[in-house]
Amino acid sequence: MIEAAPINAVMRTLADPTRRAVFERVVKSEEITVLELTRGSDVTQGAISQHLKSLKQAGLVAERRAGRNVFYRAEPKGLAPLVDWMSHYGVFWRRRFTNLRSLLKEIDP
Amino acid sequence: MIEAAPINAVMRTLADPTRRAVFERVVKSEEITVLELTRGSDVTQGAISQHLKSLKQAGLVAERRAGRNVFYRAEPKGLAPLVDWMSHYGVFWRRRFTNLRSLLKEIDP
DNA sequence: CTAATGCATTAGCAGCTACTAATGTACGGC
DNA sequence: GCCGTACATTAGTAGCTGCTAATGCATTAG
């Protein structure tokens, strides 16, 4: 049985469209500040900070403080629970190979 | 840009733990009725039907009516939006290969 | 036929959630 | 020192959501 807690957090965090959009922008940028994220979004800076807090608690982003600025970056391991879940319940993927992770280990050992 | 509608539906549908548990049971069973799903769950049969409706609308399950019984099965293509999304925003995956789908086509052309 | 089963649907509601606006906090420029 | 900036946090709220209980609707059993 797969551990429920991380996949719960990741799924729940990425379910909200605007929060997922924040995550996508963090991913596409190597590092990005809250101000930059706020510009180009239709919600308040406070809302952005709240979403970043959720993303951080879910292990999807990490922060680096530099003076007044806080730079956010994507946490590579954050989506691992999602990959694990898909390797178990991915149906149509599971029929092609039993475990997606083992395949990736072959590619990148 | 990735199409937002399907990934929104899939993410939102799988975000709820009990609904995701229903989906997982459907996946593990080749076909399963609502009554079987209700047994082994801590919610009402009505709630199960509501979750199945959501899953169906998200393209994650399909139904087959047989008399009074309705058998549900997993829809293989249902998780495709999730795979597409991960191939775009999967960070750590994207660094290993630009597109997960193209890799899979090589494995299963 | 009537009764029972399997499932879908509805109304109503408690609980959550994403938002704004305001405030707090800490740092940098002057 | 002071003010402005960057971000976090809070209180309050409107809207959504997942649940139960009840009911509706077919279908089968008797």
Side-chain angles (χ1 to χ4, degrees), chain A residues 55-94:
Chain A
L55 290 166
K56 182 184 169 187
Q57 285 177 163
L60 289 166
V61 300
E63 50 179 327
R64 179 178 67 88
R65 302 175 193 276
R68 292 185 296 198
N69 302 320
V70 179
F71 292 89
Y72 282 89
R73 63 180 182 278
E75 190 69 44
K77 295 176 293 186
L79 289 175
L82 201 53
V83 176
D84 288 343
W85 184 87
M86 286 198 53
S87 69
H88 281 267
Y89 299 106
V91 197
F92 130 84
W93 307 100
R94 194 179 48 171

Side-chain angles (χ1 to χ4, degrees), chain B residues 38-106:
Chain B
T38 303
R39 303 197 168 280
S41 178
D42 52 351
V43 293
T44 313
Q45 174 265 320
I48 298 290
S49 280
Q50 290 173 17
H51 284 311
L52 287 169
K53 185 178 183 179
S54 299
L55 290 166
K56 181 185 171 186
Q57 286 178 162
L60 289 166
V61 300
E63 51 179 324
R64 178 177 68 88
R65 302 174 193 275
R68 291 185 296 197
N69 302 318
V70 177
F71 292 90
Y72 282 89
R73 62 180 183 280
E75 191 69 45
K77 295 176 293 185
L79 289 174
L82 201 54
V83 176
D84 288 343
W85 184 87
M86 287 198 53
S87 69
H88 281 267
Y89 299 105
V91 199
F92 135 81
W93 308 98
R94 194 181 48 167
R95 296 193 180 157
R96 280 160 177 76
F97 36 84
T98 53
N99 197 324
L100 183 60
R101 301 209 82 179
S102 64
L103 173 75
L104 291 164
K105 283 178 183 173
E106 291 176 11

Side-chain angles (χ1 to χ4, degrees), chain A residues 101-109, chain B residues 92-93 95-97:
Chain A
R101 300 210 83 180
S102 63
L103 173 74
L104 291 164
K105 282 178 183 173
E106 293 177 9
I107 296 170
D108 182 77
Chain B
F92 135 81
W93 308 98
R95 296 193 180 157
R96 280 160 177 76
F97 36 84

